[in-house]
Amino acid sequence: MAALYEGYTLCRVGTVQNSNTGILGVEQGRDIDHVIVTDSSRFITVYKVSDQRPTGSWSVKQGQIISCPAVFNTQSQEYVVVTDDKVVRVWKEDDVNLEKAFKATVSAEVLRVLSTPDSELVVLFCCGAVRSLDLLLASPQQPIEHVLAEDEIIRWSTIIKAEHLLVLFSTEQRGEHYLYVQRFNPNTLVKHRFETEPGLPAPISFSATCRGSNIHLLYLYLNGSVYESVLPLRSLSTGAEGVLALSRSLCLCLPLGEEKLMSGAVVVLDDAHVAVVGFPHPSAGACKDYLCIWNTRFQTLQACKEMAGKTYSQLWCYSGKLYIPHGKMLSIIPFECQKSSLAAALGKLKQTSHSEFKSCSFVSSWTAQTYRDVTQITEIKSRMSTRNHADVKSALTVDQLLEHIKTSAVQEDIQVEVGEFIRRTPQADLQLAVGRVALELVSRSQTDANFYPQRVFLQLLETRFLCYSVCPELLSLAMEKKDFRLCQIALQIFSDIPEAVICAYVKTILSTSDSEIETVNLDTDSVMFMKELTQTQSRSDEEEGQLNGFGSSGLESGVSHIPSKKLQRDTLSLDMSCPVGLHKGALLNEVLQTAYSDRPLLPHLKDLAVPQVIIFLQYLRFLYFKYCYDAHEQIRALRTPSISQIIDWVCLLLDAHFTVLAVAPEAKGLVSDLHKFVRSQVKLYAELGKIEGSLQVIKNSKRSEDFGMYAIQVIELF
């Protein structure tokens, strides 16, 4: 069997003219938890997969074009990309400006830079020539030979690490299709011709793997045929003269819907399973886009997942995760494939439920008699299970539960049924069913003004099988109902909330009065943190002197030579009381801890009104002041924003509303206070920089080992 688990959104993508999506490619990063996303505009972004946050982003100048996906060189720990077809750029993680990084112009147009872990990078030129990146950069203007004919175009390429590095690429020339295999050390090139059929167009997707001593190449046609060609490695060790015929075998026939298919993609997952996108589910209606896993040995559908929005002919697979663009987002779908067996293909393993079997077995290409026999066996097992558990009330199926949600007039009945369904449904089935239940509940809540089952939504959230991309309208509905309890829990669980929704939620919080929010039953831990934070006396009230750069009249006057013992409490006329209610502060704290990307968030922050921006900044100033005096460390809480998150949001708000805040009279005092904070911090770091050298000497000094029970060590600081 195979399973597709609950997915989540990595980032949002756009569409460009004459292209499927705005994504050029997704490549493996420096480890399995990082990927590189190259878009068609001007940006290259590295994402940490586990928390869906960018860790680095670079862009080329306006007018420059990124020619191929950026890749990571695991040997040199550098990123490589090609711009304007001939300019190779190389940079490191800590480089900020791509224009200042190393670049070299080569003599021929580059198609792609190919990478595989723990191997050198390989450059494939549009003319079919192949070079090692290191050798190419050693002499960028070296002549590049023409391997292909003038009218021959490369359609697909990849690199495989077997006994030696192998570069595979397919080409098209006047209706004929060829496969080239370039081997390194020694360099050999073998050319094959694909078998063709009258009326059959070119393959639309390829996927190649190395298993044992063979290269297995799978390729997909628009008629749903998936063929496999096996290339023995020994046949590639010596170059062959002429063009060899590429034998093939049909390994899968995908179902076709009524609509004409224009695109699709296939990716090999293991020796018996492939992932397919772009082809309809056998039982789905029109205009449904699915990601499916098929067993190629038994030609059975093993797992499927409906994707929101249009899917494209793009699909990538890294470290047990599928990366698929659909609609305006790039999603990550974790998957698992068990060892292929007849029992698994028929859905007769112990962990496979009857409902799973029914969803997959009807798409088998076997005879109807075989299907009837298997169905009878399954029904017998179902009756046996019923007799063995006659004393236990049978749980509703997901379809029955959805029907009850549509028709039930009593919300308490739905709550009981959903709770019973969650308790009795196996985890594997529940993970897929929770999203369908949430969508149905949201749909009815939007059409029926008197229907809003908050407790049922909370039950579904507690399963932790929900994410934003599965039920996008849930948060919007909760904000419309001003259900801040549900929003708070959702922000704690969802890791893929779009920046526009985050900003809309902030706007909803700030536009609601404190008195209204104070009546909401929020998470106890978050409210207690706010209560103690507002009541805790900072140490500055009990001690004299400067803490973390604050509280110095000397700093206010700009005098830097005043001894530390003469620094007195800051005379700033700051009101350090919390500018918002406890509950509103708890909600804003959850926002501060929510994952986001700076670039998409900034335009949406501009939608905030000036009074909302000012009150938000005042609250952030309050938090910052408390954190700098370590008031938060005196409080035990499970979830609290970090000081870096507070500073990041201050910077975002100032960037989004700088002009307005500069001219708004009501913001003058606030901006002045923030300026004083920043100036005092700069002064503090300047003072710390003066003793950095001495501290480093202390750190590196060798300690004597014969201290005994007690010793006094004298260190001279120069």
Side-chain angles (χ1 to χ4, degrees):
M1 286 295 292
L4 290 168
Y5 298 111
E6 201 63 59
Y8 44 91
T9 301
L10 180 65
C11 62
R12 298 182 66 83
V13 298
T15 56
V16 295
Q17 190 175 5
N18 301 325
S19 178
N20 286 333
T21 66
I23 295 181
L24 279 179
V26 178
E27 297 286 336
Q28 187 74 64
R30 63 175 181 267
D31 53 41
I32 62 174
D33 197 30
H34 289 82
V35 293
I36 310 166
V37 178
T38 308
D39 63 39
S40 303
S41 55
R42 298 185 296 119
F43 293 94
I44 302 165
T45 308
V46 178
Y47 288 92
K48 187 176 181 182
V49 177
S50 58
D51 57 10
Q52 303 94 56
R53 293 198 66 175
T55 60
S57 182
W58 302 269
S59 64
V60 297
K61 286 184 176 180
Q62 189 74 33
Q64 295 177 340
I65 299 174
I66 299 178
S67 307
C68 64
V71 297
F72 185 75
N73 190 339
T74 56
Q75 294 183 334
S76 63
Q77 299 293 300
E78 294 175 323
Y79 296 93
V80 180
V81 76
V82 177
T83 60
D84 300 323
D85 297 326
K86 292 186 177 182
V87 181
V88 181
R89 299 175 184 266
V90 182
W91 74 98
K92 291 186 176 294
E93 186 88 39
D94 53 357
D95 290 334
V96 178
N97 191 344
L98 204 57
E99 289 299 315
K100 296 182 180 180
F102 172 83
K103 57 184 175 181
T105 303
V106 297
S107 59
E109 291 186 358
V110 175
L111 180 75
R112 284 199 67 175
V113 180
L114 302 170
S115 68
T116 186
D118 303 322
S119 298
E120 60 182 340
L121 299 186
V122 174
V123 179
L124 174 62
F125 291 88
C126 294
C127 60
V130 178
R131 291 287 190 278
S132 164
L133 178 65
D134 293 338
L135 295 178
L136 179 65
L137 295 182
S139 178
Q141 289 298 311
Q142 60 183 277
I144 304 298
E145 71 277 10
H146 281 264
V147 176
L148 307 179
E150 291 185 0
D151 58 346
E152 194 171 3
I153 302 174
I154 298 177
R155 297 299 187 188
W156 166 83
S157 61
T158 190
I159 186 171
I160 293 177
K161 185 177 182 181
E163 298 174 354
H164 303 275
L165 280 181
L166 298 172
V167 174
L168 286 72
F169 57 94
S170 67
T171 65
E172 181 179 357
Q173 181 187 22
R174 295 192 295 271
E176 294 289 337
H177 304 280
Y178 303 95
L179 175 70
Y180 290 81
V181 182
Q182 171 75 57
R183 173 181 165 170
F184 292 86
N185 300 323
N187 293 337
T188 60
L189 181 65
V190 181
K191 182 179 180 181
H192 300 82
R193 178 187 286 110
F194 286 96
E195 292 184 21
T196 58
E197 298 177 11
L200 188 64
I204 60 173
S205 181
F206 298 84
S207 183
T209 57
C210 179
R211 299 199 295 270
S213 58
N214 298 313
I215 298 295
H216 293 257
L217 176 68
L218 261 72
Y219 39 103
L220 170 66
Y221 290 87
L222 276 177
N223 66 355
S225 300
V226 179
Y227 288 93
E228 181 182 37
S229 295
V230 180
L231 303 172
L233 292 175
R234 63 176 181 274
S235 66
L236 307 174
S237 58
T238 58
E241 296 294 335
V243 182
L244 304 179
L246 185 64
S247 61
R248 68 182 187 182
S249 60
L250 182 64
C251 63
L252 187 61
C253 288
L254 298 173
L256 299 177
E258 298 179 358
E259 297 184 357
K260 183 180 179 180
L261 300 179
M262 301 301 295
S263 63
V266 61
V267 169
V268 176
L269 305 181
D270 62 14
D271 58 349
H273 296 90
V274 296
V276 179
V277 67
F279 284 74
H281 186 284
S283 64
C287 303
K288 298 289 186 180
D289 291 277
Y290 279 85
L291 170 66
C292 300
I293 295 181
W294 289 81
N295 187 309
T296 56
R297 289 183 181 175
F298 304 106
Q299 297 204 14
T300 54
L301 178 62
Q302 299 290 286
C304 60
K305 186 177 186 63
E306 184 178 355
M307 307 306 298
K310 179 184 177 182
T311 58
Y312 306 92
S313 57
Q314 293 178 303
L315 185 64
W316 297 272
C317 177
Y318 300 109
S319 306
K321 298 179 180 65
L322 291 168
Y323 296 78
I324 173 173
H326 61 101
K328 293 185 177 181
M329 62 186 69
L330 173 64
S331 290
I332 303 174
I333 312 294
F335 70 91
E336 182 181 9
C337 294
Q338 298 178 3
K339 186 177 180 180
S340 179
S341 64
L342 181 60
L346 291 177
K348 292 169 62 179
L349 290 179
K350 292 182 179 180
Q351 63 269 30
T352 305
S353 68
H354 180 52
S355 60
E356 283 179 326
F357 171 78
K358 290 198 299 182
S359 66
C360 297
S361 59
F362 65 89
V363 299
S364 171
S365 61
W366 297 353
T367 64
Q369 180 63 41
T370 303
Y371 170 72
R372 285 195 295 269
D373 293 342
V374 174
T375 304
Q376 291 174 1
I377 294 172
T378 306
E379 290 174 350
I380 292 172
K381 291 172 64 179
S382 178
R383 288 196 297 269
M384 292 175 60
S385 176
T386 303
R387 288 197 302 267
N388 292 336
H389 302 279
D391 57 326
V392 180
K393 179 183 176 181
S394 59
L396 292 175
T397 66
V398 63
D399 293 327
Q400 291 172 334
L401 179 60
L402 294 179
E403 191 62 30
H404 284 198
I405 291 174
K406 293 178 182 178
T407 58
S408 179
V410 183
Q411 296 187 22
E412 288 74 11
D413 292 346
I414 296 178
Q415 179 183 346
V416 173
E417 290 173 351
V418 171
E420 190 71 13
F421 178 79
I422 293 174
R423 189 174 67 87
R424 293 181 179 276
T425 305
Q427 293 290 306
D429 295 340
L430 185 61
Q431 187 171 9
L432 301 176
V434 163
R436 296 179 61 188
V437 174
L439 287 171
E440 190 61 47
L441 288 168
V442 170
S443 177
R444 181 174 174 184
S445 299
Q446 291 174 330
T447 57
D448 185 354
N450 297 322
F451 182 84
Y452 182 72
Q454 183 204 40
R455 294 184 179 179
V456 182
F457 285 129
L458 292 175
Q459 283 180 314
L460 297 177
L461 286 175
E462 288 172 358
T463 65
R464 296 192 174 269
F465 288 143
L466 269 183
C467 62
Y468 178 85
S469 55
V470 170
C471 189
E473 298 299 324
L474 177 57
L475 265 179
S476 300
L477 175 66
M479 285 187 282
E480 179 184 343
K481 300 290 186 178
K482 292 193 175 181
D483 186 353
F484 294 108
R485 168 66 172 171
L486 182 62
C487 291
Q488 184 187 35
I489 301 301
L491 259 67
Q492 294 176 2
I493 296 175
F494 294 173
S495 58
D496 58 344
I497 302 176
E499 285 74 9
V501 178
I502 295 175
C503 193
Y505 180 50
V506 172
K507 196 170 185 178
T508 302
I509 296 173
L510 296 175
S511 61
T512 307
S513 65
D514 286 341
S515 58
E516 183 177 351
I517 296 181
E518 290 299 317
T519 62
V520 179
N521 182 24
L522 298 180
D523 177 55
T524 305
D525 184 73
S526 63
V527 177
M528 288 301 299
F529 172 76
M530 283 301 303
K531 184 176 182 180
E532 295 188 30
L533 188 66
T534 55
Q535 293 178 353
T536 301
Q537 293 287 333
S538 66
R539 292 186 305 192
S540 60
D541 293 334
E542 303 170 0
E543 303 172 3
E544 292 186 356
Q546 181 183 4
L547 288 177
N548 204 10
F550 289 96
S552 145
S553 58
L555 292 178
E556 286 305 302
S557 62
V559 181
S560 61
H561 61 275
I562 299 178
S564 299
K565 63 182 180 180
K566 293 184 179 180
L567 297 180
Q568 302 297 327
R569 183 176 310 280
D570 188 6
T571 58
L572 295 176
S573 57
L574 297 180
D575 180 12
M576 280 300 104
S577 61
C578 185
V580 299
L582 300 183
H583 284 57
K584 182 176 286 189
L587 295 175
L588 291 175
N589 289 346
E590 290 296 343
V591 173
L592 300 182
Q593 300 171 76
T594 303
Y596 65 88
S597 298
D598 295 3
R599 193 176 65 187
L601 182 61
L602 273 174
H604 298 293
L605 285 177
K606 295 180 181 179
D607 295 336
L608 295 177
V610 175
Q612 294 173 338
V613 175
I614 291 176
I615 194 67
F616 199 1
L617 281 173
Q618 287 174 343
Y619 176 67
L620 293 174
R621 180 189 64 177
F622 162 78
L623 283 182
Y624 192 36
F625 179 83
K626 289 289 185 178
Y627 273 51
C628 287
Y629 283 96
D630 300 330
H632 66 297
E633 294 185 358
Q634 306 172 34
I635 307 171
R636 294 183 180 180
L638 297 177
R639 286 177 55 83
T640 60
S642 65
I643 192 168
S644 61
Q645 291 170 333
I646 297 171
I647 295 174
D648 289 343
W649 272 91
V650 170
C651 296
L652 285 169
L653 289 171
L654 291 177
D655 288 343
H657 296 271
F658 178 78
T659 304
V660 176
L661 292 174
V663 299
E666 61 270 28
K668 182 177 180 181
L670 174 64
V671 175
S672 176
D673 293 342
L674 292 174
H675 171 67
K676 294 172 182 177
F677 282 167
V678 173
R679 186 168 62 179
S680 63
Q681 287 287 289
V682 172
K683 185 67 66 175
L684 171 66
Y685 284 111
E687 295 294 331
L688 291 175
K690 295 178 181 179
I691 63 171
E692 181 180 7
S694 301
L695 295 175
Q696 192 65 33
V697 172
I698 297 175
K699 180 179 179 181
N700 298 333
S701 62
K702 295 183 179 180
R703 296 183 177 180
S704 176
E705 297 181 358
D706 54 350
F707 281 161
M709 296 295 294
Y710 177 76
I712 297 176
Q713 187 176 8
V714 179
I715 300 176
E716 296 183 4
L717 302 179
F718 298 96

